[in-house]
Amino acid sequence: MNWRGVLVYAENYSGRIHRASFELLGKARELLPRISGELFAVTVTSENKAEEYSRELIAYGADKVVEYVVEENHLTNPLIHRNALIDAIKYIKPKLVLVPATPWGRSIAPRVAASIGTGITADCLDVYVDDEGNIVQVRPAFTGNIIAHIKTLTNPVITTVRPGVFQVPSPDYGRKGEALIRSIEASGADKLRVLRVARVKTVKLSEADVIVSIGKGVRSREDIKLFEELAREIGAQLACSKPLVDMGWMERDRQVGFSGNIVKPRLYIALGISGAPQHIAGMRDSKYVVSVNIDPSAPIAKYSDLFVVGDIYDVAKKILQALRNLK
Amino acid sequence: MNILVLIKPTPDITKVRFDVEKGVVDRGSASLEINPFDLYAIEVAKRIKRVFGGFITSLSMAPPHAEPALRDAIARGVDRAILLSDRRFAGADTWATSYTLASAIRKLGSFNIILCGEKSVDGDTAHVGPEVAEFLGIPHVSFVTRIIDVSVDKVIVESDFGEAYYEVELKLPALIALSRPVIFRDEFIEPSMPKVSDVLRAKKAKIDVWSADQLADVADVSKFGLNGSPTRVVRAYYALEKGRETRVVKGEEGVNMILSVLRETGVIS
């Protein structure tokens, strides 16, 4: 059997295509000359959105868009998406399948790999083709401490890729492409029912440009206001390390770290965070890191561009005062 | 309720040292303990048992020196701990690991609910839970932040899909992969240290160790371990710190430096 081309799973259960899907189309275009074949995008959609999605996916680089038109109540059912992706792989026989490593993608893709009987590599930071023409996947392990290069011996190669590692290509709405409609059975999907959206996230740290992050150096829940004010004044998102979430002082969506959000803002300001490995795993790719800590031996120092030894309350108040004087 | 908890014995990530040259873990530097995410699975299992009664079995695949971690699981409330341990299981990727775990689950019989942590601190994949569910042909939900309700034939959970939290109903049997922190009904779950009496009881408990041969009647043994793994690590290295040249300053100078960084990065004008 001849496995050719690249298949990108376009995540759109929320009603819009996740930008990570476009990033993957961009990367796939770049890899395609070494893999040969065509670039396919696969999506599950309601009838009224099918045309809009295919136009968009072609503009971002897809040659062919395979669309599974389903009933409205099936759009958020992960088992339907699983069925669609399995059908698409059997139909297209791609060499490489790229899926965004969002919580959604990391839930569906492994089921597909298990069902097809092929290898899957999680949360990759890069994918390349080596000198022998093998697809190699690069991923962190051990809470970000080890980087591994992984080859897949079976077909297709299934890879989930961390959102934000590749650029979104600029769309070309003049590009020509083809849309194919396929149908799937809803078999097995009734074992799971998505009842409703419980809570929409108020903050998405992974997309934040500037972050003020607080840790155990904050002495009481009341005191968070001071740092909230600092974040607001400089147009930053307020974030925190794990202990503040464990104490119930901050919501989980604001937690930076291995078990929270992996961020890479332009500027990361860590206040009273010592720098446990699990926190470092969440912020080490920030462009510029400032940290303030009373303890000169805090491990976060070596991950910082600027390390200020001092009292976080004092520093925060003085910065706020200086900003007021500027106005 | 027949409850199964998947437990991965992992090195303590705050203590483990790395062989920077070889890009591997210095195995002697930290003993194996229960993967921190899996502690929440044990806590949820205990609460389900409290409501319905039943039995909690834990299943792990690890080298023999993982036994203390399994005694810890028993001290924390697991009724029976099974350790799949054999050289032929070694080197397994997520596919082969899930295949092996699913085979053992089939051998054990049927379960109403299977619980695990969302991912492990060493593998970081979050793939084993969903792959096990697929091999067993049951539904699953990953990244579960709340168990809203459990009844004899279904469970309602809240899960982080990425864009938002969704309320999902699953028919049992099903697999639930738990995030942390996690809420059970209205209770904020925090794993606590086991009591001394439970630790002593666990010391005497029997850990069932199963070899590959013991799964031969329910599985294809050629699909275990490195042999059965469709992926191969071709290179690994230590993720060195980005070459940041840390500038260390104190007090007042620090405030001025931060202000100039804010200006240089265009955060303030």
Side-chain angles (χ1 to χ4, degrees), chain A residues 66-82:
Chain A
V66 182
E67 296 184 287
Y68 293 86
V69 175
V70 301
E71 289 164 34
E72 206 72 37
N73 65 331
H74 277 159
L75 288 173
T76 50
N77 186 324
L79 290 175
I80 292 284
H81 289 249
R82 165 211 173 268

Side-chain angles (χ1 to χ4, degrees), chain A:
Chain A
M1 209 178 318
N2 203 8
W3 298 80
R4 296 175 78 238
V6 182
L7 186 160
V8 170
Y9 166 74
E11 173 182 313
N12 64 342
Y13 69 87
S14 69
R16 65 180 176 96
I17 298 175
H18 195 291
R19 57 173 280 149
S21 316
F22 301 135
E23 295 165 8
L24 297 185
L25 285 172
K27 182 66 187 178
R29 271 257 81 89
E30 183 196 313
L31 292 171
L32 212 53
R34 305 266 344 253
I35 295 174
S36 83
E38 289 176 304
L39 176 47
F40 295 85
V42 171
T43 195
V44 174
T45 173
S46 57
E47 198 160 6
N48 61 340
K49 283 231 174 179
E51 207 183 309
E52 177 194 328
Y53 286 145
S54 59
R55 202 166 352 114
E56 223 176 340
L57 292 165
I58 290 165
Y60 281 93
D63 297 315
K64 284 179 181 151
V65 180
V66 182
E67 296 184 287
Y68 293 86
V69 175
V70 301
E71 289 164 34
E72 206 72 37
N73 65 331
H74 277 159
L75 288 173
T76 50
N77 186 324
L79 290 175
I80 292 284
H81 289 249
R82 165 211 173 268
N83 293 353
L85 193 48
I86 290 173
D87 179 84
I89 289 169
K90 289 181 175 165
Y91 173 65
I92 295 164
K93 297 185 182 62
K95 178 68 199 162
L96 172 66
V97 178
L98 298 173
V99 179
T102 56
W104 174 267
R106 290 175 82 174
S107 184
I108 292 169
R111 287 199 79 118
V112 172
S115 168
I116 301 250
T118 191
I120 178 163
T121 307
D123 201 24
C124 294
L125 301 177
D126 198 10
V127 182
Y128 65 93
V129 180
D130 72 9
D131 294 341
E132 283 108 60
N134 297 307
I135 293 167
V136 183
Q137 305 148 95
V138 182
R139 72 173 301 262
F142 282 95
T143 314
N145 283 290
I146 297 284
I147 300 291
H149 290 230
I150 295 169
K151 227 163 57 176
T152 303
L153 310 175
T154 49
N155 286 309
V157 176
I158 302 185
T159 311
T160 67
V161 180
R162 189 178 290 181
V165 297
F166 301 127
Q167 294 285 317
V168 173
S170 30
D172 170 8
Y173 284 91
R175 269 191 95 243
K176 291 270 178 287
E178 202 182 315
L180 305 145
I181 306 277
R182 282 182 69 81
S183 59
I184 30 157
E185 284 175 38
S187 70
D190 61 335
K191 290 178 185 168
L192 183 155
R193 236 165 23 111
V194 177
L195 303 176
R196 63 185 187 100
V197 174
R199 278 179 298 135
V200 173
K201 290 190 180 178
T202 49
V203 53
K204 280 203 206 102
L205 287 182
S206 56
E207 291 165 21
D209 198 34
V210 182
I211 291 175
V212 169
S213 196
I214 53 177
K216 273 197 288 192
V218 175
R219 292 189 290 267
S220 81
R221 191 174 191 157
E222 270 299 291
D223 296 351
I224 292 173
K225 283 194 192 123
L226 170 66
F227 304 100
E228 230 165 36
E229 191 190 346
L230 176 63
R232 196 167 49 238
E233 284 298 315
I234 62 169
Q237 289 287 0
L238 185 68
C240 65
S241 62
K242 185 173 168 288
L244 299 201
V245 175
D246 288 348
M247 287 189 288
W249 291 5
M250 295 275 286
E251 49 177 344
R252 185 178 171 270
D253 292 347
R254 293 196 185 269
Q255 182 193 333
V256 169
F258 182 63
S259 59
N261 295 279
I262 293 180
V263 301
K264 44 175 186 177
R266 189 153 54 94
L267 177 62
Y268 188 81
I269 304 176
L271 304 174
I273 293 175
S274 61
Q278 96 94 32
H279 186 77
I280 301 298
M283 51 64 74
R284 65 189 302 158
D285 292 330
S286 302
K287 200 153 176 217
Y288 197 95
V289 177
V290 174
S291 51
V292 182
N293 210 293
I294 198 80
D295 175 9
S297 66
I300 200 161
K302 66 170 185 273
Y303 301 92
S304 307
D305 299 283
L306 175 64
F307 182 66
V308 178
V309 182
D311 175 64
I312 56 167
Y313 288 76
D314 187 45
V315 170
K317 283 175 193 157
K318 282 181 175 151
I319 293 173
L320 279 169
Q321 190 55 49
L323 293 173
R324 269 182 222 115
N325 292 344
L326 285 174
K327 279 183 186 167

